[in-house]
Amino acid sequence: MRVVAVPVLQDNYSYLIVDEDERVAAVVDCAEVEPVLQAARAEGVTVTTVLSTHHHYDHVGGNEELAGKIPVRVYGNADDSARIPKLTDGVREGDAVRFGRLQAEVLFIPAHTSGHIAYHFPREKAVFTGDTMFAAGCGRLFEGDPAQMMKSLAKIDALPEDTRVYCGHEYTVKNLEFAHMLEPSNAAIADKLAWAKARRAQGQTTVPSTIGSERATNPFLRTGSPELRDSVRRRIPSVGEDDVLIFGGTRKLKDDF
Ligand code: ZN
Ligand code: FE
């Protein structure tokens, strides 16, 4: 498996997942058609499959146009069939998705939207997390609450630590600046922030991350950190010692950051 990150719109990523044996590819979150097809041409592969993580326009905005151009199967949450254009294959937690010789498992990870899913490739150790987990961040809670987001992130956090994490947006520098504010003495955060700034200055991506890196740097996986808890409590005293309130407080602080 080869993964090509395709920058689209302002700061979104579509991903081309290439099966190098059969020369076919799936596109994760087809927001724009032309950049994706251009990447496929450069790789010399045929796009057969779309894997939609959630219904937001910046993730499915190209489904209709792509399906009008080439024959594709479009996967997405079965319960979001009214919101994901051109859906052909509705899936749910635990379902298998196959294209070429590759196989993914569906993880149901609601909260950013009520129907958000991830695609996990256990053999290749890769997970496509859409707008639920970003490098050093998580999505806004548009259709869920802090407890639900904690549960969704815990599902991703349970994957092996060398699993690569491919997220839906390039938000890494801003996310790490927020993380650094909450945990100024966390060296992993400071180091990754310097690295991410250098990458962006050279016009390079900061994806993929890994589960291990997220455990070390992502505030939304680190609400057990005493330094983070103190930082959040200083700004929002009412969170006390409650894990869900501290998580919700962290999310609130990020909304305003
Ligand atoms: Zn979204
Ligand atoms: Fe998005």
Side-chain angles (χ1 to χ4, degrees):
M1 174 171 111
R2 198 175 127 71
V3 179
V4 180
V6 184
V8 292
L9 304 177
Q10 280 290 100
D11 50 29
N12 277 79
Y13 285 121
S14 294
Y15 295 101
L16 200 64
I17 307 176
V18 174
D19 174 354
E20 292 164 294
D21 295 321
E22 300 195 356
R23 307 311 297 168
V24 296
V27 50
V28 178
D29 286 349
C30 188
E32 276 190 282
V33 171
E34 204 34 53
V36 164
L37 289 181
Q38 205 176 309
R41 280 194 292 273
E43 293 291 313
V45 295
T46 307
V47 175
T48 62
T49 306
V50 176
L51 306 178
S52 297
T53 62
H54 66 296
H55 75 279
H56 284 159
Y57 180 78
D58 61 319
H59 298 261
V60 300
N63 284 11
E64 183 120 28
E65 187 188 338
L66 187 68
K69 275 192 165 152
I70 58 172
V72 280
R73 303 219 66 93
V74 178
Y75 290 82
N77 191 325
D79 296 324
D80 264 342
S81 57
R83 305 200 289 185
I84 297 176
K86 295 292 171 186
L87 187 79
T88 59
D89 294 75
V91 291
R92 292 195 171 87
E93 169 88 10
D95 283 352
V97 172
R98 294 184 189 83
F99 60 94
R101 296 190 187 178
L102 300 176
Q103 182 171 325
E105 184 198 342
V106 173
L107 303 177
F108 181 48
I109 49 168
H112 176 67
T113 70
S114 60
H116 202 302
I117 58 176
Y119 298 90
H120 176 224
F121 293 76
R123 251 184 306 161
E124 285 79 17
K125 292 193 172 177
V127 65
F128 294 82
T129 57
D131 286 359
T132 297
M133 182 189 282
F134 299 121
C138 78
R140 287 178 191 255
L141 306 178
F142 290 124
E143 299 178 359
D145 59 25
Q148 192 179 41
M149 182 56 99
M150 287 177 85
K151 207 175 144 196
S152 292
L153 291 175
K155 225 180 251 187
I156 301 169
D157 190 20
L159 302 177
E161 73 169 355
D162 55 347
T163 304
R164 282 165 294 148
V165 178
Y166 294 90
C167 58
H169 288 265
E170 179 63 61
Y171 291 159
T172 311
V173 168
K174 186 116 196 265
N175 285 345
L176 286 165
E177 283 169 347
F178 175 70
H180 182 64
M181 177 187 83
L182 296 184
E183 290 189 88
S185 64
N186 180 326
I189 290 172
D191 290 351
K192 193 166 181 184
L193 177 56
W195 171 83
K197 280 180 170 169
R199 293 278 298 181
R200 296 306 291 150
Q202 293 161 5
Q204 291 175 303
T205 71
T206 63
V207 290
S209 184
T210 64
I211 295 294
S213 175
E214 292 314 301
R215 286 178 191 150
T217 61
N218 192 321
F220 298 96
L221 298 184
R222 299 186 52 76
T223 47
S225 146
E227 188 178 29
L228 180 145
R229 294 170 82 90
D230 283 346
S231 288
V232 174
R233 207 168 17 246
R234 227 179 307 119
R235 292 167 174 88
I236 311 176
S238 61
V239 298
E241 278 295 345
D242 184 274
D243 288 345
V244 176
L245 291 182
I246 287 171
F247 184 97
T250 308
R251 187 54 262 179
K252 172 83 177 70
L253 291 172
K254 181 64 176 64
D255 288 345
D256 304 333
F257 182 67

